[in-house]
CSV table of all heavy atoms in Angstrom, one decimal:
chain,number,residue,atom,x,y,z
T,1,SER,N,1.0,51.4,-0.7
T,1,SER,CA,0.2,52.1,0.3
T,1,SER,C,1.0,52.4,1.5
T,1,SER,O,1.8,51.6,1.9
T,1,SER,CB,-1.1,51.3,0.6
T,1,SER,OG,-1.8,51.9,1.7
T,2,ILE,N,0.7,53.6,2.2
T,2,ILE,CA,1.4,53.9,3.5
T,2,ILE,C,0.3,54.5,4.4
T,2,ILE,O,-0.4,55.4,3.9
T,2,ILE,CB,2.6,54.8,3.3
T,2,ILE,CG1,3.2,55.1,4.7
T,2,ILE,CG2,2.2,56.1,2.5
T,2,ILE,CD1,4.5,55.9,4.6
T,3,LYS,N,0.3,54.1,5.6
T,3,LYS,CA,-0.6,54.7,6.6
T,3,LYS,C,0.1,55.9,7.2
T,3,LYS,O,1.2,55.8,7.8
T,3,LYS,CB,-1.0,53.7,7.6
T,3,LYS,CG,-1.9,52.6,7.1
T,3,LYS,CD,-2.5,51.7,8.2
T,3,LYS,CE,-3.5,50.7,7.6
T,3,LYS,NZ,-4.0,49.8,8.7
T,4,VAL,N,-0.5,57.0,7.3
T,4,VAL,CA,0.1,58.3,7.7
T,4,VAL,C,-0.8,58.9,8.8
T,4,VAL,O,-2.0,59.2,8.6
T,4,VAL,CB,0.2,59.3,6.6
T,4,VAL,CG1,0.9,60.6,7.1
T,4,VAL,CG2,1.0,58.7,5.4
T,5,GLY,N,-0.2,59.0,10.0
T,5,GLY,CA,-0.9,59.7,11.1
T,5,GLY,C,-0.9,61.2,10.9
T,5,GLY,O,0.1,61.8,10.5
T,6,PHE,N,-2.0,61.9,11.2
T,6,PHE,CA,-2.1,63.3,11.1
T,6,PHE,C,-2.9,63.9,12.3
T,6,PHE,O,-3.7,63.2,12.9
T,6,PHE,CB,-2.8,63.7,9.8
T,6,PHE,CG,-4.3,63.6,9.8
T,6,PHE,CD1,-5.1,64.6,10.1
T,6,PHE,CD2,-4.9,62.3,9.4
T,6,PHE,CE1,-6.5,64.5,10.1
T,6,PHE,CE2,-6.2,62.2,9.4
T,6,PHE,CZ,-7.1,63.2,9.8
T,7,ILE,N,-2.6,65.2,12.5
T,7,ILE,CA,-3.3,66.0,13.5
T,7,ILE,C,-3.7,67.3,12.8
T,7,ILE,O,-2.9,68.0,12.3
T,7,ILE,CB,-2.5,66.3,14.7
T,7,ILE,CG1,-1.9,65.0,15.4
T,7,ILE,CG2,-3.3,67.0,15.8
T,7,ILE,CD1,-0.9,65.2,16.5
T,8,PRO,N,-5.0,67.6,12.8
T,8,PRO,CA,-5.4,68.9,12.2
T,8,PRO,C,-4.7,70.0,12.9
T,8,PRO,O,-4.9,70.3,14.1
T,8,PRO,CB,-6.9,68.9,12.4
T,8,PRO,CG,-7.3,67.5,12.5
T,8,PRO,CD,-6.2,66.8,13.2
T,9,ALA,N,-3.9,70.8,12.1
T,9,ALA,CA,-3.2,71.9,12.7
T,9,ALA,C,-2.8,72.9,11.5
T,9,ALA,O,-1.8,72.7,10.9
T,9,ALA,CB,-1.9,71.5,13.4
T,10,PRO,N,-3.7,73.8,11.1
T,10,PRO,CA,-3.4,74.7,10.0
T,10,PRO,C,-2.2,75.5,10.3
T,10,PRO,O,-1.8,75.8,11.4
T,10,PRO,CB,-4.7,75.6,10.0
T,10,PRO,CG,-5.7,74.9,10.8
T,10,PRO,CD,-5.0,74.1,11.8
T,11,PRO,N,-1.5,75.9,9.2
T,11,PRO,CA,-1.8,75.7,7.8
T,11,PRO,C,-1.2,74.4,7.2
T,11,PRO,O,-1.4,74.1,6.0
T,11,PRO,CB,-1.2,76.9,7.1
T,11,PRO,CG,0.0,77.2,7.9
T,11,PRO,CD,-0.3,76.8,9.3
T,12,GLY,N,-0.5,73.6,8.0
T,12,GLY,CA,0.1,72.4,7.5
T,12,GLY,C,-0.9,71.3,7.2
T,12,GLY,O,-0.9,70.7,6.1
T,13,VAL,N,-1.8,71.1,8.1
T,13,VAL,CA,-2.9,70.1,7.9
T,13,VAL,C,-4.2,70.8,8.2
T,13,VAL,O,-4.4,71.3,9.4
T,13,VAL,CB,-2.7,68.9,8.8
T,13,VAL,CG1,-3.9,67.9,8.6
T,13,VAL,CG2,-1.4,68.2,8.5
T,14,ILE,N,-5.1,70.9,7.2
T,14,ILE,CA,-6.4,71.5,7.4
T,14,ILE,C,-7.5,70.4,7.1
T,14,ILE,O,-7.5,69.8,6.0
T,14,ILE,CB,-6.6,72.7,6.5
T,14,ILE,CG1,-5.5,73.7,6.7
T,14,ILE,CG2,-8.0,73.3,6.6
T,14,ILE,CD1,-5.4,74.7,5.6
T,15,LYS,N,-8.4,70.2,8.1
T,15,LYS,CA,-9.5,69.2,7.9
T,15,LYS,C,-10.8,69.9,7.7
T,15,LYS,O,-11.2,70.7,8.6
T,15,LYS,CB,-9.5,68.2,9.1
T,15,LYS,CG,-10.6,67.2,9.0
T,15,LYS,CD,-10.6,66.2,10.2
T,15,LYS,CE,-11.7,65.2,10.0
T,15,LYS,NZ,-11.7,64.3,11.2
T,16,ASP,N,-11.5,69.7,6.7
T,16,ASP,CA,-12.8,70.2,6.4
T,16,ASP,C,-13.8,69.7,7.4
T,16,ASP,O,-14.0,68.4,7.4
T,16,ASP,CB,-13.2,70.0,5.0
T,16,ASP,CG,-14.5,70.7,4.6
T,16,ASP,OD1,-15.5,70.4,5.2
T,16,ASP,OD2,-14.5,71.6,3.7
T,17,PRO,N,-14.4,70.5,8.3
T,17,PRO,CA,-15.3,69.9,9.3
T,17,PRO,C,-16.5,69.2,8.7
T,17,PRO,O,-17.1,68.4,9.4
T,17,PRO,CB,-15.7,71.2,10.1
T,17,PRO,CG,-15.4,72.3,9.2
T,17,PRO,CD,-14.3,71.9,8.3
T,18,ALA,N,-16.9,69.6,7.5
T,18,ALA,CA,-18.1,69.0,6.9
T,18,ALA,C,-17.8,67.7,6.2
T,18,ALA,O,-18.5,66.7,6.4
T,18,ALA,CB,-18.8,70.0,6.0
T,19,SER,N,-16.8,67.8,5.3
T,19,SER,CA,-16.5,66.6,4.4
T,19,SER,C,-15.4,65.7,5.0
T,19,SER,O,-15.3,64.5,4.6
T,19,SER,CB,-16.1,67.1,3.1
T,19,SER,OG,-14.8,67.8,3.1
T,20,GLY,N,-14.6,66.2,5.9
T,20,GLY,CA,-13.5,65.4,6.4
T,20,GLY,C,-12.3,65.5,5.5
T,20,GLY,O,-11.3,64.8,5.8
T,21,GLU,N,-12.4,66.1,4.3
T,21,GLU,CA,-11.3,66.2,3.4
T,21,GLU,C,-10.1,66.9,4.0
T,21,GLU,O,-10.3,67.9,4.8
T,21,GLU,CB,-11.7,66.9,2.1
T,21,GLU,CG,-12.7,66.1,1.2
T,21,GLU,CD,-12.0,64.8,0.7
T,21,GLU,OE1,-10.9,64.9,0.2
T,21,GLU,OE2,-12.6,63.7,0.8
T,22,LEU,N,-8.9,66.5,3.6
T,22,LEU,CA,-7.7,67.1,4.1
T,22,LEU,C,-7.0,68.0,3.1
T,22,LEU,O,-7.0,67.7,1.9
T,22,LEU,CB,-6.7,66.0,4.6
T,22,LEU,CG,-7.1,65.1,5.7
T,22,LEU,CD1,-6.0,64.1,6.0
T,22,LEU,CD2,-7.5,65.9,6.9
T,23,GLY,N,-6.5,69.1,3.6
T,23,GLY,CA,-5.7,70.0,2.8
T,23,GLY,C,-4.6,70.5,3.6
T,23,GLY,O,-4.3,70.1,4.7
T,24,GLY,N,-3.9,71.6,3.1
T,24,GLY,CA,-2.7,72.1,3.8
T,24,GLY,C,-1.4,71.7,3.1
T,24,GLY,O,-1.4,70.7,2.4
T,25,TYR,N,-0.4,72.5,3.3
T,25,TYR,CA,0.9,72.2,2.6
T,25,TYR,C,1.6,71.0,3.0
T,25,TYR,O,2.4,70.4,2.3
T,25,TYR,CB,1.8,73.5,2.6
T,25,TYR,CG,2.3,73.9,4.0
T,25,TYR,CD1,3.4,73.3,4.5
T,25,TYR,CD2,1.7,74.8,4.7
T,25,TYR,CE1,3.9,73.6,5.7
T,25,TYR,CE2,2.2,75.2,5.9
T,25,TYR,CZ,3.3,74.6,6.5
T,25,TYR,OH,3.7,75.0,7.7
T,26,TYR,N,1.4,70.5,4.3
T,26,TYR,CA,1.9,69.2,4.6
T,26,TYR,C,1.3,68.1,3.8
T,26,TYR,O,2.0,67.2,3.3
T,26,TYR,CB,1.6,68.9,6.1
T,26,TYR,CG,2.7,69.5,7.1
T,26,TYR,CD1,3.7,70.3,6.6
T,26,TYR,CD2,2.5,69.2,8.4
T,26,TYR,CE1,4.6,70.8,7.6
T,26,TYR,CE2,3.4,69.8,9.3
T,26,TYR,CZ,4.5,70.5,8.9
T,26,TYR,OH,5.4,71.0,9.8
T,27,VAL,N,0.0,68.1,3.7
T,27,VAL,CA,-0.8,67.1,3.0
T,27,VAL,C,-0.4,67.2,1.5
T,27,VAL,O,-0.1,66.1,0.9
T,27,VAL,CB,-2.3,67.4,3.1
T,27,VAL,CG1,-3.1,66.3,2.3
T,27,VAL,CG2,-2.7,67.2,4.6
T,28,ASP,N,-0.3,68.4,0.9
T,28,ASP,CA,0.1,68.5,-0.5
T,28,ASP,C,1.5,67.9,-0.7
T,28,ASP,O,1.7,67.2,-1.7
T,28,ASP,CB,0.0,70.0,-0.9
T,28,ASP,CG,-1.4,70.6,-0.8
T,28,ASP,OD1,-2.4,69.8,-0.8
T,28,ASP,OD2,-1.5,71.8,-0.9
T,29,GLY,N,2.4,68.3,0.2
T,29,GLY,CA,3.8,67.9,0.1
T,29,GLY,C,3.9,66.3,0.2
T,29,GLY,O,4.6,65.7,-0.6
T,30,LEU,N,3.2,65.8,1.1
T,30,LEU,CA,3.3,64.3,1.3
T,30,LEU,C,2.7,63.6,0.1
T,30,LEU,O,3.3,62.6,-0.3
T,30,LEU,CB,2.6,63.9,2.6
T,30,LEU,CG,2.7,62.5,2.9
T,30,LEU,CD1,3.2,62.1,4.3
T,30,LEU,CD2,1.3,61.8,2.8
């Protein structure tokens, strides 16, 4: 396990405002 800090900033990190799920190519790559 690793704890990863993130900041919502499309298109690298996209946070769904309803579900809180994360997407974006940073998230996919990591």
Side-chain angles (χ1 to χ4, degrees):
S1 176
I2 180 172
K3 290 185 177 181
V4 181
F6 76 93
I7 303 171
V13 180
I14 303 169
K15 181 179 179 181
D16 187 294
S19 66
E21 288 294 315
L22 296 183
Y25 63 86
Y26 274 3
V27 178
D28 296 344
L30 181 126

